[in-house]
Amino acid sequence: WLAPVLASLGALATNFWVLTATQTVARPLGLALDLLIAVAAAEEMPRNSRAYAVSVLAMASGLGAGIAVMSLPLADLGDGGWRFVYVVALIWLPAAVTATRRLTETPRFEHIVETHHVGDAHIDKRRFAIIAGVAFLANLFIAPASYFQNRYLDDVRGYSAAAISIFTLTTATPASIGFVLGGRLADTAGRRRVLATSIPLATTGLVLSFTFGGVGMWIAAFVGGLLAGIAYPAFSVYRTEMFPTGRRGQAGGLIVASALIGGSLGLLLAGFLVDRGWSYGATMAVLATAQVVTATIVFVTYPETAHKTLEEINPEDA
């Protein structure tokens, strides 16, 4: 309930700082909601369907993001048109009603509550350090690439708000096919292999989308988004699989915090470089080196969790 309501308060902002304050509270609530949905999905799904479930959730999330993108032309209605973009957040209140009425606790969580083992589980420090580190490094590139795309299209390519929406929908929506494909591959061929292959290729495509104009830019953005979609289910499912039921939410929250710190540093570095005359392509290429390190860490240190139950991965839950 709070995420859409607080996000919509941006429409009432009297200045930039009030707008920032409303979204500073609303955005983490939205991220927490994403996190808890992923935890519930991991605990409910069979062992050979967890990554596929993440891919379906990612498609639903992409649809929501698409609606947000489609609201951008409202900003062209006039000086105050940008306020309508924040009002759109209220269309998610029916989802809050549904969740309140129908969403139940997962059997795994109910079991540890009934046996009074909620506080007994612990977070494996090595696992946490590896996964949190990967989240940090990955977001050094992902956050700037996502955030600066609209600015790049506006400043360098001269796109209007409507044209930016068309570009985003045209290149990102078909890439949702990657979610389904990646989820199925992660559940059959294995998570590590999918990540080690798709992360470098996706990063290359996204960097090229900041380098070329015209048709080349559209193709690079589509290919990069498609391959990123293939990587996403395997990348996300590790965050829930690698920790016991009694600490799955806590670990996920700390990993998201690590990703946000990485994203914030990436945004600051990208802004610093662009403001000093670096091209967007060169800036993204520098940040992309973090993705190479990410893929290496995943391939070398991540265990393969495909075809295993959560209790096999976390013996203390057995």
Side-chain angles (χ1 to χ4, degrees):
W1 286 89
L2 288 173
V5 169
L6 292 178
S8 71
L9 293 180
L12 304 177
T14 55
N15 56 55
F16 175 76
W17 300 111
V18 174
L19 174 64
T20 300
T22 60
Q23 304 313 301
T24 298
V25 179
R27 178 170 171 77
L29 287 172
L31 293 171
L33 181 60
D34 256 356
L35 164 66
L36 294 175
I37 290 171
V39 168
E43 293 180 354
E44 293 277 15
M45 293 299 112
R47 61 182 178 179
N48 289 323
S49 300
R50 287 192 300 267
Y52 182 72
V54 169
S55 72
V56 175
L57 289 174
M59 289 185 65
S61 181
L63 177 61
I67 292 175
V69 171
M70 286 187 287
S71 71
L72 284 178
L74 295 172
D76 289 335
L77 294 179
D79 291 340
W82 61 271
R83 296 182 183 273
F84 294 115
V85 177
Y86 291 94
V87 174
V88 171
L90 293 175
I91 69 172
W92 304 117
L93 289 179
V97 174
T98 301
T100 302
R101 291 179 177 177
R102 299 189 178 188
L103 193 63
T104 61
E105 293 291 353
T106 66
R108 281 186 168 91
F109 182 77
E110 288 181 332
H111 173 71
I112 65 169
V113 170
E114 291 170 359
T115 56
H116 306 289
H117 289 144
V118 174
D120 293 350
H122 68 279
I123 297 176
D124 185 295
K125 292 183 175 59
R126 181 179 181 276
R127 285 185 177 184
F128 175 78
I130 291 171
I131 296 176
V134 164
F136 175 88
L137 290 170
N139 239 27
L140 277 174
F141 172 79
I142 294 171
S146 174
Y147 179 83
F148 281 97
Q149 184 185 64
N150 289 358
R151 180 175 168 180
Y152 170 74
L153 293 173
D154 181 18
D155 293 350
V156 178
R157 302 303 171 187
Y159 280 33
S160 65
I164 292 173
S165 294
I166 293 172
F167 175 86
T168 303
L169 292 171
T170 302
T171 58
T173 302
S176 62
I177 299 170
F179 290 142
V180 179
L181 181 59
R184 184 57 65 198
L185 285 172
D187 278 330
T188 54
R191 285 91 155 99
R192 286 194 308 166
R193 187 178 303 172
V194 170
L195 287 174
T197 303
S198 57
I199 288 177
L201 294 176
T203 303
T204 301
L206 294 175
V207 170
L208 291 177
S209 72
F210 283 91
T211 305
F212 299 112
V215 176
M217 178 181 69
W218 289 66
I219 294 174
F222 172 80
V223 173
L226 176 66
L227 292 168
I230 291 175
Y232 181 82
F235 188 81
S236 296
V237 78
Y238 270 114
R239 298 183 180 186
T240 53
E241 290 180 330
M242 297 290 284
F243 305 100
T245 302
R247 289 288 181 263
R248 194 163 283 127
Q250 180 187 14
L254 292 171
I255 291 167
V256 169
S258 177
L260 289 175
I261 294 172
S264 297
L265 291 176
L267 288 170
L268 290 172
L269 179 57
F272 176 83
L273 294 176
V274 170
D275 285 344
R276 275 150 184 77
W278 284 52
S279 69
Y280 282 93
T283 298
M284 294 303 159
V286 168
L287 295 174
T289 56
Q291 290 289 76
V292 177
V293 178
T294 296
T296 303
I297 293 175
V298 167
F299 189 73
V300 173
T301 66
Y302 271 31
E304 184 52 69
T305 57
H307 314 300
K308 294 183 179 180
T309 66
L310 293 178
E311 288 71 30
E312 288 176 300
I313 301 169
N314 303 280
E316 61 265 49
D317 275 352

